[in-house]
Amino acid sequence: MPKAASLCSPKTRSSIGGMKLLVVEDEPAIADFLERGLAAEGYEVAVTGDGVEGERLALDGGFDLVLLDRMLPGRDGIEVLEAIRAARPALPVIVLTARGEVADRVEGLDRGATDYMTKPFAFPELLARVRTRLREADGATATALEAAGMRLDLLARRVERDGRSVRLPAREAELLAYLMRRPGQVCTREQILTAVWRYEHDPGTNIVQVYIGYLRRRLAGLGSPAPIETVRAAGYRLAEGP
């Protein structure tokens, strides 16, 4: 039966502020590798190989970050991810998977993954991503953004405009948040790809253009035309002012 294990000494706990990581991985060799490597870096680590148990621990265990395998017994990793997002929207989740196709990565990110790594991966890179996501979570104190006559609730992923509101899918909410943090600033396609999708796309991909289109249609449905401008040969900009 899958079980959770914890490794952390008082010395290492103090060095990283008691950060607790949950590894949900059903391949014993990978799970052991991650547990040992992360514990050696000073993290408190719990491991389970079952999706049902992983979901329970993620929701109730007070963890700071989850490393989540996509293919799991008991419950699929994407279903676990959706449950985490519904109950703990700010909890960083890095999805680990052997499925490296662009469509698979896009689905995982659209369902709410904070980051995505394809197996096999280099542990130093994984560790760097863990540190980055923990820093981002620690610094993400604001729960709402206001710009261009809109208000975005980051936890509920709900945007309000002209007295009306709509809930956004995870990736569209993140895209809008990125633009709202930079009103009046031209954001290049490459900057948006790096910040919102967090992995390298085929240089010819039009995914940013596609999602800008989705977002414009949703915002236009709340009143006047969406305040997202296309800057020819440069990128996109959120218009300043209401």
Side-chain angles (χ1 to χ4, degrees):
M1 175 179 293
K3 63 180 181 179
S6 177
L7 292 176
C8 189
S9 67
K11 181 177 180 180
T12 56
R13 171 187 286 270
S14 63
S15 67
I16 45 81
M19 289 290 186
K20 295 176 61 179
L21 309 186
L22 173 63
V23 176
V24 188
E25 169 61 66
D26 69 327
E27 294 185 38
I30 295 177
D32 182 66
F33 169 72
L34 290 172
E35 181 179 16
R36 290 174 181 274
L38 292 168
E41 293 294 324
Y43 295 104
E44 183 175 354
V45 186
V47 178
T48 182
D50 177 75
V52 174
E53 178 69 1
E55 179 181 318
R56 184 190 70 79
L57 288 170
L59 299 185
D60 302 332
F63 291 96
D64 299 291
L65 181 143
V66 177
L67 294 167
L68 177 66
D69 187 27
R70 177 160 180 156
M71 305 293 288
L72 293 166
R75 192 168 192 193
D76 181 73
I78 292 296
E79 294 178 342
V80 175
L81 174 62
E82 290 180 329
I84 294 172
R85 277 293 155 263
R88 297 190 60 189
L91 178 64
V93 180
I94 300 177
V95 173
L96 309 175
T97 181
R99 299 171 63 175
E101 296 299 321
V102 170
D104 295 320
R105 297 199 298 270
V106 169
E107 181 188 14
L109 292 166
D110 280 344
R111 298 291 187 92
T114 312
D115 209 338
Y116 202 104
M117 293 199 70
T118 303
K119 302 174 186 175
F121 49 80
F123 183 74
E125 180 184 358
L126 174 68
L127 196 59
R129 295 195 187 202
V130 167
R131 290 193 297 263
T132 297
R133 302 310 163 212
L134 288 172
R135 283 197 302 269
E136 290 175 348
D138 186 55
T141 56
T143 60
L145 297 171
E146 294 188 15
M150 300 180 292
R151 183 180 188 277
L152 175 62
D153 184 324
L154 296 171
L155 298 182
R157 302 203 305 269
R158 183 170 296 277
V159 60
E160 299 174 2
R161 188 178 189 224
D162 296 336
R164 301 161 68 185
S165 69
V166 64
R167 190 172 186 274
L168 300 176
R171 206 52 48 187
E172 290 175 45
E174 192 165 357
L175 173 57
L176 180 59
Y178 182 81
L179 296 173
M180 289 180 70
R181 290 187 174 104
R182 299 159 180 81
Q185 175 182 327
V186 177
C187 302
T188 69
R189 177 176 145 285
E190 291 74 18
Q191 288 172 332
I192 294 172
L193 275 173
T194 300
V196 178
W197 278 267
R198 302 188 183 94
Y199 64 89
E200 294 297 326
H201 272 272
D202 183 314
T205 184
N206 67 344
I207 193 168
V208 174
Q209 178 184 348
V210 168
Y211 273 76
I212 288 287
Y214 292 160
L215 199 49
R216 280 173 169 158
R217 286 194 289 274
R218 291 186 194 277
L219 295 178
L222 297 180
S224 53
I228 302 174
E229 302 173 344
T230 298
V231 181
R232 187 176 178 83
Y236 300 94
R237 173 175 58 204
L238 187 71
E240 294 185 276

